[in-house]
Amino acid sequence: MFSSFGATTTADEVLEEADLRGRRVLVTGVSSGVGVETARVLVAHGAHVVGAARDLSKARRATELVRAQTTPGGGFDLIELDLASLASIRACTDSLIKADQQFDVVIANAGVMALPQGTTADGFETQFGTNHLGHFVFINRIASLINPGGRLVMVASAGHRGADVHLDDPNFERTPYDPLVAYRRSKTATILFAVGFDRRHQAGGVRATAVHPGAVLTETTRKMIEDQPAAATAFQWKTVEQGAATAVWAGLIAAADEVAGRYCEDCHVADVNDNPTEGFGVRSYALDPEHAKALWIRSEKMVGEYF
C-alpha cells in the first residue's frame, strides 16, 4: 500500500487505516497552512496533539476545525512558542518539562521564508535563527520528553538544493544578503539537524528524519509570490492536505529504519542527487554526518547552550 503514495497523496489517505488513539504528537506552527492540517488529520484519527504557535489568538481561530474533529481518546491543546526568541523557547520548554509532557512524535513544522534582512530577538539572522536555531534549542531541550520508539520529523524544503549552510558567516555579516539564499541555507541546516539528532538519539530508540512537504500555497508562499511573481509558475503546487502527507507518513507510518537520518519527499525516501539541473532528491552535503556535527557545534556556540 505504501508504494502507492506519491506527490498527490493527502494526509488523510496516508492515515486511512491508522488508529492513533493513545499517541501524543507535538506540532510546531499551527496557526496556518500545513501545520493546521497536520494537527487536524492527527486529531481526526485519535491522536492527542499539542500545537505550538507564536500568536495564540491567531492559532485559536485557525484551529477551530481541529477541535471540531477531535475524536474519543484524542485531544488538542495549544502552547505559546516564538522560535525567534530564546527566552520564549526556554519558557515553553520549561513548562513542558515541568508538566512531564511526553510525546511519541514531534513534527517541527514552523518556519519563515524569504524574508527581508532582519534579526531575531537574540540577534541571529531571522531565517537561520527561526528555522534552524529556534528548533535546535526547542527540540534539544525537550528531547527527554520523546518516548523510546518515538520520532522527530523536521519539515525542511527542496530549497536546500540551492545553498549549503555557511558556518563561517551564518548571520550574513560578511556575505551579501539574499532572502532566498538565506532561506535555502536555513533548510539545509534543518536537514543536517535531523541527521545529527538521529545519530545522538538512536541508541535510546528515538529516530529523526527530514521531509519536504512540497510547494504548498500558504500564507508564506503567497507572500513570496507577491514579491516574486515568477515563482508562481516555477512549481507544481500542492494543497495543504497534500503538503501535510509526507510529515505524517514519515512520523507515523513508514518504518523507522527506512526514514531515520534521511530526507523524504512525496511520501518516499529521496535519493541523493547532486545534479543541479534536476529538480528532485537531496544534496549530499545535507546528509553528511561530519557536516551535521560541525553545524551542531556551531549552533551550540551561537545559542550558548550545550546538548
Side-chain angles (χ1 to χ4, degrees), residues 275-289:
N275 187 336
T277 66
E278 296 177 343
F280 65 89
V282 58
R283 295 291 185 260
S284 58
Y285 55 68
L287 295 179
D288 183 338

Side-chain angles (χ1 to χ4, degrees), residues 6-7 9 19 22 32 97 134 155 206 212 226 229 258 266-267 272 299:
T9 299
D19 181 355
S32 65
I97 292 167
V155 177
V206 176
H212 170 44
E226 289 175 6
E258 177 185 359
D266 297 335
C267 299
V272 173
S299 301

Side-chain angles (χ1 to χ4, degrees), residues 213-238:
V216 185
L217 280 172
T218 63
E219 286 182 17
T220 301
T221 51
R222 285 190 176 94
K223 179 62 171 64
M224 182 191 73
I225 289 170
E226 289 175 6
D227 296 337
Q228 303 178 48
T233 59
F235 304 105
Q236 183 68 43
W237 294 99
K238 290 188 179 188

Side-chain angles (χ1 to χ4, degrees), residues 151-233:
R151 298 186 201 178
L152 166 65
V153 179
M154 299 297 303
V155 177
S157 170
H160 83 275
R161 295 195 292 260
D164 194 0
V165 293
H166 194 319
L167 297 182
D168 293 329
D169 190 22
N171 290 321
F172 285 85
E173 293 167 329
R174 296 182 298 279
T175 309
Y177 183 79
D178 180 284
L180 282 176
V181 171
Y183 173 73
R184 292 162 179 164
R185 289 183 183 180
S186 76
K187 288 303 181 176
T188 295
T190 298
I191 303 169
L192 287 168
F193 174 55
V195 172
F197 191 92
D198 184 71
R199 289 172 69 85
R200 284 166 174 77
H201 292 275
Q202 59 181 300
V206 176
R207 308 307 304 268
T209 187
V211 304
H212 170 44
V216 185
L217 280 172
T218 63
E219 286 182 17
T220 301
T221 51
R222 285 190 176 94
K223 179 62 171 64
M224 182 191 73
I225 289 170
E226 289 175 6
D227 296 337
Q228 303 178 48
T233 59

Side-chain angles (χ1 to χ4, degrees), residues 32 49 65 101 107 132 236 255 289:
S32 65
V49 173
L65 182 59
Q101 297 262 16
I107 299 178
H132 169 59
Q236 183 68 43

